[in-house]
Amino acid sequence: MWDACLFFIKGQQCRLLKNLVQSTCLPITMSNTKCQVPRSTDETEAKTDISLAIMPIIKLCGESKSARCDELKSLITKGCSKAKIENPRGSISIDKDKPVTNRMKDVAEKLKPDQITQIQPQKLTLNLRSGEAQTFKLKFKRAEDYPIDLYYLMDLSFSMKDDLENVKNLGTDLMREMQEITSDFRIGFGSFVEKTVMPYISTTPARLLNPCTSNENCTSPFSYKNVLKLTENGQQFNSLVSKQQISGNLDSPEGGFDAIMQVAVCGDAIGWRNVTRLLVFSTDAGFHFAGDGKLGGIVLPNDGKCHLENNMYTMSHYYDYPSIAHLVQKLSDNNIQTIFAVTEEFQPVYKELKNLIPKSAVGTLSSNSSNVIKLIIDSYNSLSSEVILENNKVPEGVSIKYKSICKNGMVGTEENGRKCSNISIGDEVSFDITIESQKCPSQGKSETIRIKPLGFNEDVEIVLNFICECECSKGGEPLSKICHNGNGTFECGACRCNEGRIGRLCECSTDEVRTDDLDGNCRKDNGTDICSNNGDCVCGTCECKKRENPEERYSGKFCECDNFNCDRSNNKLCGGHGRCECRVCICDANYTGSACDCSLDTSTCLAANKQICNGRGTCECGVCKCTNPKFQGPTCEICPTCPGVCAEHKECVQCRAFETGEKKDTCQRDCSYFNLIRVKDRDKLPQPADQSYPLSHCKERDANDCWFYYTYAVRNDTMREVYVVETLECPAGPDIIPIVAGVVAGIVLIGLALLLIWKLLMIIHDRREFAKFEKEKMNAKWDTGENPIYKSAVTTVVNPKYEGK
């Protein structure tokens, strides 16, 4: 008999076949409350009929039709045959692959600009499947003798008067210098001042005719003038520039942004070719930008269109200045590389502007523009030595990654993957470009994007085709009998129900189905939660919700299982050593535990002696658990409170080997736990490298200050061995005579030293006292005057007759 699962509706049993795949339930057919079994009366025939009808609709309990889209391994696990699995892959086809041009400057035959190729390939078609990236290689090679168009845009406000004199011969001089770089060079000239409204210029009639003060003869102010279209004639450049006159304005910032916009968008008037385009912007002042026009009552944003009439910009009073972002877009769209030639004072401002405009350079202009040619050559070399790739807007859900392989094998990724620097003429670099789609576009199946090197006229066209459906969907069977007698289209092995029908086989009608009856079949154990709150009850069957992460899924007849709510270890599901099935970790080999975080491998517990945890513990989950609490460490090798192996066994070794020590009387009772082996000298003691068990070398001293040497080892966790050197190393006795002689000599020497010191101190003291006496003697002063009240006690009588005889 067939295995069957039971499906209850209104108390009636609807018989379901159980497929050969474990836990897979297959409904035959169902009409509201009754089961409809194939009419064949023979059991074998009925089984065949049912199999033919429902084998393409195998599903795991609780899974919706969307679960049929899964990883290849998962589909095979569910019972799908490889032959029945449709697995479209993405692909790349190169539609145009013209090789890069190897052009030499000195070759007589010159190629037209459109005949030169610097980027390869030129067109590709990518078939993208969501989540599957496609990578192709793009090559770029700087062609030698590549044509150059250079347009010189100059500020003609009054402060640039001396600069104009030096620019008048720029045409022929620059032509001569550029011959070293290219044989196909054209040059043009334009000038700008400011918007012709207050407060940028003075609008009094006199100032409109001559805006300069003093006796200078200046031309009327203007916004932008295209003086000379791009030409190969350097003399014509010199001639027309020589006729230009300085003008003037009131404020310091100039209207250069208006001029740059017109130069970028008026391609026909300027004469741009599809070659290297250089715009040299020369000024000694700052710039106005979007919003500044409000000062003159101009509020309309710049429209980014060409408004030249008779080579003059005529809408400066109508449109505001362009924004920096607007300029960046137009310069990029028209492949124009900008060189800002500005004076030292405004270098910081234009360097900040350079950071916002890709493929631009800033050079320091001397006060009179005498270094302009060198500035242009240096800036061009700097710009042309770097290639930067950019792409237009990509469709939603599509991402592009760049990886550059530059000169000398230098590799760049992320933002550096877009560019290569220090490229010389003839150098070839390549880029690995990866395009990936995360979802299908909402409208249309094809999109086109373009990738190009900034400042170059060439690009790569990439057509993106999105693989959003399987091929089998094209061969669907409308009104198929498999889908409950024509209530849906049978495609790719599943029913796509017509409007108003639901169920896996479209067996239920949204108008006739009583939700309360069917919901009862979606409750586990007569509970209150429908499909465990993880799914929807569709026609009496749970269809589990899809998670945002495609790797995570609900499953089970009542959506009670999932593969992402298992225990974690180290922030990894099942510790990274198992898989989650119905919220329980199924661990890989050699792992156990609720989170598969317990390793059964004991190699991490092996000590240096090849013993598990040094014989002092057990290995649990790859970690040693020491049985003796006084031991610790990765392999129970550390004992911070232990006195040490040597000190612990010293008394027993001493009493057994030499019959001395504190335990000599109880030696037989307390010290018979090891096997004693005597050796003649220390060289005979076992060495650690020779043993496969713990071994300690000891050196101890007895009460007589004699040293004895021994080793202590534990073999096989129980057998203890002590190797001891049988002779003690005792220190030799002292020699009395030298000691006595030394002591006497020491005493005598110390006495002599003390006498000498005493004598020296006395001499020093006497000398100090004598010096003090001499000093007091020298300082003494004797008073010879007599006291007026003093009367001598002696009376002197002079004999007049004596007279001194």
Side-chain angles (χ1 to χ4, degrees):
M1 296 297 293
W2 306 342
D3 292 333
C5 348
L6 297 179
F7 188 45
F8 292 91
I9 297 182
K10 281 191 176 180
Q12 297 189 21
Q13 291 186 349
C14 178
R15 193 174 191 180
L16 303 177
L17 283 180
K18 188 173 183 182
N19 189 263
L20 298 178
V21 181
Q22 189 176 5
S23 300
T24 303
C25 297
L26 304 174
I28 301 174
T29 56
M30 180 181 67
S31 176
N32 292 343
T33 61
K34 294 183 179 180
C35 296
Q36 296 181 354
V37 183
R39 296 179 180 177
S40 180
T41 56
D42 182 70
E43 184 174 296
T44 304
E45 292 180 4
K47 181 176 180 180
T48 304
D49 291 342
I50 293 170
S51 299
L52 290 174
I54 64 179
M55 278 299 283
I57 317 176
I58 295 174
K59 86 178 189 73
L60 291 176
C61 293
E63 289 190 344
S64 62
K65 286 186 287 186
S66 62
R68 292 155 50 84
C69 293
D70 208 336
E71 294 180 350
L72 182 63
K73 182 179 179 181
S74 299
L75 291 174
I76 294 174
T77 303
K78 293 176 184 178
C80 294
S81 169
K82 283 187 178 181
K84 296 292 185 179
I85 295 175
E86 191 164 323
N87 187 23
R89 312 299 298 179
S91 62
I92 298 176
S93 62
I94 299 177
D95 303 323
K96 187 176 180 181
D97 193 27
K98 185 179 178 182
V100 293
T101 303
N102 293 315
R103 185 189 189 197
M104 303 302 291
K105 182 180 177 182
D106 52 358
V107 176
E109 182 183 359
K110 298 299 180 183
L111 298 177
K112 295 180 179 179
D114 56 0
Q115 295 176 318
I116 301 174
T117 302
Q118 297 183 107
I119 193 168
Q120 180 187 3
Q122 293 79 41
K123 185 176 181 181
L124 305 93
T125 299
L126 272 62
N127 297 314
L128 296 178
R129 178 179 176 178
S130 294
E132 183 183 55
Q134 298 295 327
T135 302
F136 64 92
K137 188 175 288 295
L138 185 147
K139 291 196 300 184
F140 177 85
K141 183 177 181 180
R142 276 190 65 191
E144 186 174 356
D145 197 27
Y146 195 71
I148 298 174
D149 284 353
L150 184 146
Y151 191 84
Y152 196 91
L153 182 59
M154 186 174 180
D155 176 9
L156 285 188
S157 59
F158 187 76
S159 58
M160 295 287 285
K161 179 181 179 182
D162 54 346
D163 299 79
L164 180 60
E165 294 300 321
N166 286 310
V167 174
K168 290 180 178 180
N169 295 322
L170 178 65
T172 52
D173 294 343
L174 189 57
M175 281 279 186
R176 182 169 56 255
E177 293 292 335
M178 293 299 288
Q179 288 296 325
E180 300 293 327
I181 299 175
T182 177
S183 60
D184 189 353
F185 176 73
R186 300 197 311 169
I187 189 171
F189 184 83
S191 58
F192 66 91
V193 181
E194 187 56 275
K195 288 184 180 295
T196 55
V197 296
M198 281 288 290
Y200 311 109
I201 66 169
S202 175
T203 55
T204 60
R207 291 300 183 197
L208 285 176
L209 292 176
N210 184 1
C212 298
T213 58
S214 69
N215 297 323
E216 295 290 340
N217 186 20
C218 298
T219 188
S220 299
F222 57 90
S223 177
Y224 163 67
K225 181 194 302 182
N226 178 28
V227 177
L228 176 64
K229 187 176 181 179
L230 289 165
T231 178
E232 298 176 353
N233 191 339
Q235 291 292 345
Q236 185 182 7
F237 180 95
N238 294 350
S239 175
L240 287 176
V241 172
S242 299
K243 298 177 183 178
Q244 300 305 305
Q245 286 183 300
I246 292 296
S247 185
N249 60 318
L250 295 180
D251 61 341
S252 177
E254 314 294 0
F257 276 15
D258 273 341
I260 294 177
M261 177 62 75
Q262 293 304 301
V263 171
V265 299
C266 298
D268 293 336
I270 304 300
W272 292 118
R273 298 176 295 172
N274 283 331
V275 297
T276 298
R277 299 175 176 180
L278 299 178
L279 170 61
V280 179
F281 182 84
S282 175
T283 184
D284 64 349
F287 49 82
H288 285 295
F289 52 89
D292 288 353
K294 293 180 180 179
L295 295 172
I298 303 172
V299 295
L300 285 179
N302 195 287
D303 64 350
K305 296 181 180 179
C306 182
H307 296 288
L308 290 186
E309 293 182 11
N310 297 322
N311 289 321
M312 296 288 290
Y313 179 40
T314 58
M315 302 296 286
S316 67
H317 64 287
Y318 191 75
Y319 289 116
D320 193 6
Y321 302 99
S323 66
I324 296 175
H326 201 180
L327 275 184
V328 170
Q329 177 193 349
K330 293 301 180 181
L331 291 171
S332 176
D333 290 345
N334 293 280
N335 304 314
I336 296 174
Q337 303 176 60
T338 309
I339 300 172
F340 295 104
V342 297
T343 54
E344 182 71 31
E345 179 184 358
F346 288 93
Q347 281 286 307
V349 175
Y350 283 91
K351 284 183 178 178
E352 290 296 328
L353 181 61
K354 167 189 172 295
N355 295 332
L356 301 175
I357 302 179
K359 292 292 282 185
S360 62
V362 176
T364 303
L365 190 68
S366 62
S367 59
N368 58 1
S369 296
S370 59
N371 66 331
V372 66
I373 293 180
K374 184 178 184 303
L375 186 153
I376 292 173
I377 299 295
D378 292 345
S379 298
Y380 169 75
N381 289 332
S382 173
L383 290 172
S384 60
S385 65
E386 183 177 54
V387 57
I388 303 174
L389 296 185
E390 70 164 1
N391 53 268
N392 60 351
K393 184 178 180 181
V394 298
E396 184 180 359
V398 176
S399 62
I400 302 180
K401 294 181 180 179
Y402 295 87
K403 177 183 176 182
S404 59
I405 299 93
C406 304
K407 193 174 180 180
N408 299 324
M410 294 292 293
V411 177
T413 56
E414 303 297 337
E415 282 303 312
N416 290 329
R418 291 175 172 266
K419 62 183 180 181
C420 282
S421 303
N422 300 321
I423 304 174
S424 303
I425 294 176
D427 287 344
E428 183 176 298
V429 296
S430 61
F431 298 85
D432 290 337
I433 301 176
T434 301
I435 301 180
E436 182 177 358
S437 173
Q438 297 296 336
K439 63 179 183 179
C440 290
S442 57
Q443 296 180 352
K445 292 186 178 180
S446 295
E447 298 281 353
T448 300
I449 61 175
R450 295 181 180 274
I451 298 176
K452 69 173 184 177
L454 281 173
F456 294 86
N457 63 307
E458 302 175 59
D459 60 16
V460 180
E461 180 183 353
I462 304 172
V463 179
L464 304 180
N465 296 324
F466 300 91
I467 303 173
C468 299
E469 294 184 357
C470 295
E471 289 294 324
C472 59
S473 62
K474 299 178 181 178
E477 179 186 349
L479 306 178
S480 173
K481 291 183 178 180
I482 297 175
C483 301
H484 200 266
N485 298 322
N487 285 318
T489 300
F490 187 70
E491 60 181 38
C492 296
C495 286
R496 178 179 291 177
C497 300
N498 296 335
E499 185 177 357
R501 304 295 296 187
I502 58 174
R504 190 157 189 84
L505 296 175
C506 310
E507 63 271 25
C508 296
S509 170
T510 55
D511 297 330
E512 300 174 1
V513 170
R514 293 184 61 184
T515 305
D516 293 341
D517 297 333
L518 295 180
D519 285 352
N521 298 290
C522 298
R523 294 188 176 97
K524 183 179 180 180
D525 300 330
N526 294 322
T528 59
D529 294 335
I530 295 177
C531 299
S532 305
N533 288 330
N534 295 324
D536 300 318
C537 188
V538 180
C539 202
T541 303
C542 284
E543 290 193 358
C544 302
K545 297 176 182 177
K546 293 185 69 176
R547 300 274 296 177
E548 184 176 345
N549 184 352
E551 298 293 328
E552 299 176 354
R553 60 179 70 88
Y554 294 106
S555 60
K557 182 178 179 181
F558 300 101
C559 303
E560 73 276 15
C561 296
D562 62 59
N563 67 343
F564 54 88
N565 270 325
C566 291
D567 290 342
R568 294 176 179 266
S569 178
N570 293 328
N571 204 30
K572 293 182 180 179
L573 193 67
C574 297
H577 304 298
R579 65 185 186 278
C580 182
E581 293 185 2
C582 202
R583 303 185 180 181
V584 177
C585 284
I586 307 299
C587 299
D588 298 338
N590 291 327
Y591 285 93
T592 186
S594 61
C596 301
D597 54 350
C598 183
S599 174
L600 301 178
D601 184 13
T602 59
S603 61
T604 56
C605 296
L606 284 178
N609 55 19
K610 305 301 181 184
Q611 284 190 318
I612 299 293
C613 302
N614 271 308
R616 301 178 183 125
T618 58
C619 187
E620 298 179 9
C621 299
V623 179
C624 281
K625 301 293 183 182
C626 304
T627 53
N628 191 332
K630 69 181 181 179
F631 288 99
Q632 57 183 258
T635 55
C636 303
E637 75 279 10
I638 302 172
C639 182
T641 60
C642 292
V645 174
C646 296
E648 183 180 356
H649 303 288
K650 169 187 174 182
E651 298 297 336
C652 284
V653 174
Q654 189 177 359
C655 78
R656 289 190 60 182
F658 308 106
E659 298 180 357
T660 59
E662 296 179 1
K663 292 187 178 182
K664 66 179 179 178
D665 297 330
T666 60
C667 193
Q668 188 66 26
R669 184 189 67 191
D670 298 338
C671 301
S672 59
Y673 58 86
F674 59 83
N675 182 24
L676 183 68
I677 304 168
R678 291 180 172 85
V679 296
K680 292 184 178 182
D681 53 48
R682 280 188 285 172
D683 294 337
K684 297 295 191 298
L685 291 174
Q687 299 301 316
D690 302 334
Q691 309 300 320
S692 59
Y693 45 84
L695 178 68
S696 299
H697 274 257
C698 301
K699 177 184 177 182
E700 295 295 334
R701 185 165 56 183
D702 62 11
N704 298 321
D705 287 335
C706 294
W707 294 96
F708 59 96
Y709 300 87
Y710 67 94
T711 62
Y712 181 85
V714 180
R715 189 194 297 271
N716 299 328
D717 296 340
T718 57
M719 184 176 178
R720 294 170 171 82
E721 292 181 346
V722 173
Y723 285 78
V724 62
V725 179
E726 58 187 13
T727 57
L728 295 169
E729 287 188 5
C730 297
D735 193 347
I736 301 300
I737 295 175
I739 293 175
V740 173
V743 171
V744 173
I747 293 172
V748 172
L749 290 174
I750 291 173
L752 291 174
L754 291 175
L755 287 173
L756 289 174
I757 292 172
W758 176 81
K759 183 62 176 175
L760 180 62
L761 292 175
M762 291 304 295
I763 292 172
I764 293 173
H765 179 266
D766 291 344
R767 287 184 177 179
R768 286 181 177 175
E769 289 296 324
F770 182 75
K772 183 178 180 181
F773 170 76
E774 289 291 330
K775 184 178 180 182
E776 291 178 352
K777 183 180 177 182
M778 294 295 296
N779 292 334
K781 295 182 180 179
W782 302 103
D783 190 2
T784 58
E786 294 182 357
N787 193 335
I789 64 175
Y790 172 75
K791 290 182 179 182
S792 177
V794 179
T795 302
T796 304
V797 178
V798 179
N799 189 353
K801 292 182 178 183
Y802 183 66
E803 296 180 354
K805 294 182 178 179

